[in-house]
Amino acid sequence: MAVLTQRTLQQWKETQYHKQGGKCILCGLPLDSWQKANADHNHHTGNMRGLLHPLCNSVLEGKVAGLMYRAGLKGKAVFPTVLRNLADYWEQDYDAEPVHPSFVNDTAKKFARLTRERMIKELHDAGLTHIDRTYSKEELIDIFKREFKKQLA
């Protein structure tokens, strides 16, 4: 097993960039260039793994791994297994399940951050064409909540 130098690391990155088709291993989106890509490595063995976007490396890979270790899962759960399980969990169809009690209010809070004009447009897009500028923001939020609950029912 060879230990890379800074010069051979650059050669490795260029070769790896072409092997990966110029795309980030994690998100699959194009990398800007091999020079700007992060050369990811296993922090326990030192082995090179692939090229990632800087944010994919620091946020997705690095922070998630750190959070798992801080959560006390080191030695109890295998990190790749947890991530595969998480992906499978997210991809399940939960449409037949009930809606969480805070979902309507959380969504209404996002709606409340819109400008009054944008609120009216959103309500028009939802088919409520009778809504006009005579309604206050509070009234628009109440209408949104009522209509959103109907959609979820």
Side-chain angles (χ1 to χ4, degrees), residues 48-63:
M48 301 302 297
R49 293 191 284 214
L51 295 180
L52 309 174
H53 287 110
L55 284 176
C56 287
N57 188 325
S58 64
V59 177
L60 285 177
E61 198 277 331
K63 296 239 188 300

Side-chain angles (χ1 to χ4, degrees), residues 15-153:
T15 301
Q16 189 65 26
Y17 178 84
H18 295 294
K19 281 183 186 176
Q20 292 178 208
K23 295 181 179 177
C24 173
I25 290 285
L26 291 182
C27 71
L29 296 174
L31 294 163
D32 292 335
S33 68
W34 65 265
Q35 295 95 333
K36 291 181 182 179
N38 281 25
D40 181 50
H41 67 282
N42 183 316
H43 286 258
H44 300 288
T45 66
N47 293 94
M48 301 302 297
R49 293 191 284 214
L51 295 180
L52 309 174
H53 287 110
L55 284 176
C56 287
N57 188 325
S58 64
V59 177
L60 285 177
E61 198 277 331
K63 296 239 188 300
V64 171
L67 288 170
M68 277 194 59
Y69 293 131
R70 283 193 295 283
L73 296 174
K74 184 178 181 181
K76 296 177 184 175
V78 180
F79 184 56
T81 301
V82 171
L83 288 179
R84 277 190 287 279
N85 290 345
L86 179 60
D88 290 344
Y89 180 70
W90 282 346
E91 289 180 338
Q92 295 298 313
D93 182 1
Y94 296 104
D95 288 347
E97 297 297 324
V99 174
H100 192 279
S102 67
F103 183 66
V104 173
N105 285 336
D106 291 346
T107 307
K109 285 178 188 174
K110 292 176 191 171
F111 180 79
R113 289 193 289 265
L114 300 175
T115 65
R116 212 160 130 264
E117 290 74 25
R118 181 69 188 189
M119 288 178 172
I120 293 167
K121 183 184 180 326
E122 294 281 327
L123 293 170
H124 282 188
D125 291 348
L128 301 171
T129 55
H130 67 281
I131 304 297
D132 59 29
R133 293 175 184 259
T134 62
Y135 290 89
S136 68
K137 271 189 103 167
E138 292 74 24
E139 289 171 320
L140 295 171
I141 293 165
D142 288 341
I143 293 167
F144 172 84
K145 282 183 181 179
R146 192 169 45 252
E147 291 302 315
F148 191 57
K149 285 179 186 177
K150 284 181 193 175
Q151 285 179 357
L152 294 173

